[in-house]
């Protein structure tokens, strides 16, 4: 009896047969309509395509690091139901969020599965969470919003969410990376569906959205994402810092403990996302707003404004001032947002996101930073007219100079050491009036 070789194995034979059939398909151009139908059949409500070479993609390096063979990005939309998202019972809104996130994940899986059957390499990064936890300060593998805009699925509104021309911002986004080329691409929509109604400005409990277009990332992150990673870190530290159960309950009330348990058991819950709830943009949404604006404000916006709830803010932040002034009936809860930079690169990168412009209203100064030790870096930070600019290197004349050992500075930012001990040890040196350092710190409460 002839001894069987590996080439005689049925699986090996099937592989070579399929390889022969698929020979020459690598790098082929895929019919756009065929792929669109595939995505819609899988359950997507809309879909667009964009080449990796398009100028609009400002995260090309990250995409290629994630999937070096990427040629075309598929962006798809899953629609959420409006009334659940508008409910003042946020458990209802969060159930809708999580259900549609699961849909996005499932649809992405089905599309990738079909593409693999066709010999096309593809992968679908997560729609939202889980996220990466890296020292670079970027906690996600790719950002889906700019890809959706480039793929013609909408425009970014003042609330920093994508507004779809038909569904408004009652959508969640998914992205798929493929090694195929499309016969044609989508193009960004030719108009901005944002109505400039500013209802998101009026509804946001922490004032994260400015009427002038300014966005306070820290305010949004601290409250809306309270039960995600940053808030969870703060909660854990409250537990470890408590001597006993009574001391813990003095810091965290029973309702907050129950809410955190619910998030850990069923999925992290958003505390607000009212900007999505009240937005009237989109062909399917705009009618009720245009037909009776007073009724829309009364039935959609005002219940969220009037809701008695706990609002999480960093002490001495713009958000704290906003809640106390605009929503005195809401209960202010002072917390840390758990954001801590693990590197100098991350520290410099996160400054614009943490900047509190109203805390800087009387400040006009140029700061030169020099970091030594494990990380060598120079940077210039300019604060004036309630704006922040961060530049590489030393630019212009400094009002205040700081030279610091990089690891000592990171520990100082994490409140693991004090400024006095760092200065006494020579790990941090300064030149200029110390009131400018204090003013700088005031702009970045944590």
């Amino acid at each position: 009896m002839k001894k069987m070789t590996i080439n005689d194995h049925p699986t090996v034979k099937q592989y070579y047969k399929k390889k022969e059939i698929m020979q020459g398909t690598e790098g082929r151009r895929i019919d756009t309509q065929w792929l669109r139908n595939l995505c819609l059949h899988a359950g997507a409500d809309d879909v667009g395509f964009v080449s990796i070479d398009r100028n609009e993609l400002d995260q090309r390096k990250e995409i290629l690091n994630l999937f070096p063979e990427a040629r075309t990005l598929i962006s798809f939309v899953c629609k959420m139901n409006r009334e659940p998202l508008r409910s003042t019972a946020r458990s209802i809104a969060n159930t809708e969020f999580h259900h549609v996130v699961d849909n996005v994940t499932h649809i992405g899986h089905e599309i990738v599965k079909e593409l693999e059957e066709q010999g096309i390499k593809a992968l679908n990064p997560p729609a939202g969470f889980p996220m990466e936890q890296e020292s670079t300060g970027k906690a996600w593998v790719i950002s889906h919003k700019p890809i959706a805009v480039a793929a013609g699925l909408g425009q970014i509104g003042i609330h920093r969410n994508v507004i779809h021309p038909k569904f408004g911002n009652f959508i969640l986004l998914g992205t798929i990376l493929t090694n195929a080329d499309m016969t044609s691409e989508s193009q960004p929509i030719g108009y901005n569906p944002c109505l400039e109604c500013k209802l998101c400005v009026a509804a946001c409990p922490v004032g994260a959205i400015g009427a002038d277009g300014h966005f306070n990332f820290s305010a949004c992150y601290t409250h809306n994402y309270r039960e995600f990673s940053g808030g969870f870190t703060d909660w854990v530290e409250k537990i470890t810092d408590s001597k006993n159960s009574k001391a813990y309950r003095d810091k965290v009330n029973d309702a907050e403990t129950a809410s955190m348990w619910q998030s850990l058991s069923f999925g992290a819950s958003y505390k607000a996302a009212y900007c999505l709830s009240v937005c009237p943009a989109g062909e399917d949404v705009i009618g009720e707003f245009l037909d009776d604006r007073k009724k829309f404000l009364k039935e959609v916006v005002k219940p969220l404004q009037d809701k008695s709830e706990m609002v999480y803010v960093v002490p001495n932040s713009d958000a704290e001032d906003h809640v106390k002034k605009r929503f005195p009936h809401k209960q202010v809860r002072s917390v840390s947002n758990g954001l801590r930079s693990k590197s100098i690169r991350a520290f410099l990168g996160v400054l614009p996101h943490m900047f509190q412009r109203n805390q800087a209203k009387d400040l006009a100064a140029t700061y030169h930073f020099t970091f030594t030790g494990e990380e060598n870096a120079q940077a210039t930070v300019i604060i004036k007219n309630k704006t922040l600019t961060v530049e590489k290197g030393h630019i212009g004349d400094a009002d205040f100079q700081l030279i610091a050992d990089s690891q000592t500075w990171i520990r100082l930012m994490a409140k693991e050491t004090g400024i006095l001990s760092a200065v006494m040890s020579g790990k941090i040196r300064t030149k200029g009036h110390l009131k400018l350092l204090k003013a700088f710190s005031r702009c970045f409460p944590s």
Side-chain angles (χ1 to χ4, degrees):
M1 182 175 178
K2 183 181 177 181
K3 185 178 180 180
M4 178 181 286
T5 68
I6 190 172
N7 290 333
D8 297 320
H9 193 283
T11 301
V12 177
K13 286 183 175 181
Q14 184 63 30
Y15 166 75
Y16 283 120
K17 182 179 179 180
K18 184 174 181 180
K19 183 178 180 181
E20 183 179 352
I21 294 172
M22 299 301 295
Q23 195 73 35
T25 59
E26 187 174 349
R28 64 178 175 170
R29 298 183 72 81
I30 304 301
D31 180 72
T32 302
Q33 191 57 51
W34 172 83
L35 185 55
R36 175 178 293 278
N37 291 339
L38 185 157
C39 296
L40 296 177
H41 181 73
D45 290 299
D46 199 3
V47 63
F49 313 104
V50 57
S51 168
I52 187 68
D53 297 324
R54 282 268 287 278
N55 292 331
E56 296 97 316
L57 296 180
D58 60 356
Q59 50 183 333
R60 187 176 293 103
K61 181 179 179 180
E62 292 94 329
I63 293 170
L64 292 175
N65 283 339
L66 187 64
F67 187 56
E69 297 179 58
R71 294 296 307 147
T72 299
L73 283 61
I74 304 170
S75 180
F76 64 94
V77 163
C78 287
K79 186 170 76 73
M80 293 185 286
N81 295 322
R82 293 194 299 275
E83 293 310 314
L85 252 64
R86 291 173 174 172
S87 175
T88 55
R90 300 316 286 172
S91 59
I92 297 175
N94 278 289
T95 298
E96 182 69 12
F97 275 123
H98 289 301
H99 176 76
V100 180
V101 166
D102 289 343
N103 281 350
V104 171
T105 302
H106 174 73
I107 291 166
H109 168 81
E110 291 299 309
I111 295 171
V112 169
K113 179 181 177 182
E114 181 61 30
L115 291 175
E116 285 191 351
E117 288 293 321
Q118 299 297 323
I120 300 169
K121 293 183 180 180
L123 66 81
N124 53 314
F129 300 93
M131 303 192 304
E132 302 297 300
Q133 295 295 328
E134 300 176 345
S135 61
T136 59
K138 184 176 180 181
W140 50 86
V141 288
I142 61 172
S143 178
H144 301 271
K145 294 178 184 179
I147 295 172
V149 172
L153 295 180
Q155 293 287 341
I156 301 290
I158 191 176
H159 44 35
R160 302 314 194 266
N161 297 302
V162 174
I163 300 178
H164 187 274
K166 181 175 175 62
F167 309 130
N169 61 195
F170 289 90
I171 59 171
L172 289 178
L173 302 168
T175 303
I176 295 171
L177 315 179
T178 79
N179 70 336
D181 290 310
M182 300 294 103
T183 54
S184 63
E185 295 179 46
S186 308
Q187 296 295 324
I189 61 175
Y191 69 98
N192 190 341
C194 183
L195 298 176
E196 301 296 337
C197 62
K198 308 293 174 65
L199 294 184
C200 56
V201 177
C204 181
V206 291
I209 309 166
D212 60 354
H214 176 76
F215 184 71
N216 187 333
F217 172 88
S218 174
C220 178
Y221 182 88
T222 303
H223 176 63
N224 195 36
Y225 294 88
R226 171 62 187 167
E227 291 172 2
F228 289 79
S229 61
F232 175 78
T233 298
D234 179 62
W235 176 68
V236 169
E237 290 177 351
K238 279 183 167 59
I239 295 175
T240 58
D241 289 344
S242 301
K243 294 181 179 180
N244 51 43
S245 58
K246 181 182 182 302
Y248 167 76
R249 289 196 300 272
D250 288 340
K251 299 175 183 177
V252 183
N253 64 39
D254 290 346
E256 291 173 300
T257 299
S259 185
M260 187 63 75
W261 168 82
Q262 180 172 272
S263 281
L264 293 172
S265 301
F266 302 104
S269 295
Y270 299 91
K271 286 297 183 184
Y274 296 168
C275 52
L276 299 180
S277 305
V278 303
C279 182
E283 294 174 13
D284 286 358
V285 191
I286 195 172
E288 58 183 329
F289 173 71
L290 295 179
D291 291 343
D292 195 335
R293 299 189 185 192
K294 288 185 178 180
K295 181 180 179 182
F296 189 90
L297 290 171
K298 179 181 178 181
E299 296 183 356
V300 177
V301 181
K302 203 166 189 308
L304 298 173
Q305 292 177 320
D306 292 346
K307 181 182 178 182
S308 178
E309 60 186 326
M310 287 180 283
V311 179
Y312 295 90
V313 300
V314 172
N316 303 313
S317 65
D318 291 351
E320 182 180 46
D321 294 341
H322 179 85
V323 181
K324 290 180 177 180
K325 180 179 179 180
R326 183 71 180 81
F327 301 108
H329 58 285
K330 297 183 187 289
Q331 182 183 352
V332 171
R333 299 290 284 174
S334 296
V335 298
S336 166
N337 54 31
L339 292 174
R340 288 195 288 268
S341 299
K342 301 297 191 297
S343 68
I344 295 300
R345 177 186 174 190
F347 163 71
L348 294 173
V350 81
L351 283 180
H353 301 299
M354 304 301 292
F355 180 63
Q356 306 292 293
R357 62 175 179 173
N358 290 332
Q359 305 303 315
K361 61 183 178 180
D362 298 321
L363 179 60
T366 297
Y367 298 82
H368 282 177
F369 288 88
T370 302
F371 297 104
T372 61
E374 289 189 22
E375 282 188 85
N376 291 309
Q378 291 184 340
T380 299
V381 178
I382 303 171
I383 301 175
K384 64 178 180 179
N385 298 326
K386 297 170 60 175
T387 63
L388 173 79
T389 304
V390 181
E391 302 282 358
K392 290 183 179 180
H394 291 166
I395 298 174
D397 296 325
D399 299 296
F400 189 87
Q401 300 176 48
L402 183 143
I403 302 172
D405 170 71
S406 56
Q407 290 305 302
T408 301
W409 184 257
I410 294 302
R411 292 181 61 235
L412 180 64
M413 293 298 97
K415 300 178 182 179
E416 295 172 358
T417 188
I419 183 67
L420 182 59
S421 62
V423 170
M424 293 293 291
S425 66
K427 295 290 187 178
I428 292 179
R429 290 174 287 152
T430 64
K431 183 178 180 181
H433 205 296
L434 287 178
K435 71 177 183 180
L436 289 176
L437 182 60
K438 185 176 180 180
F440 180 88
S441 300
R442 190 173 65 244
C443 299
F444 307 94
S446 61

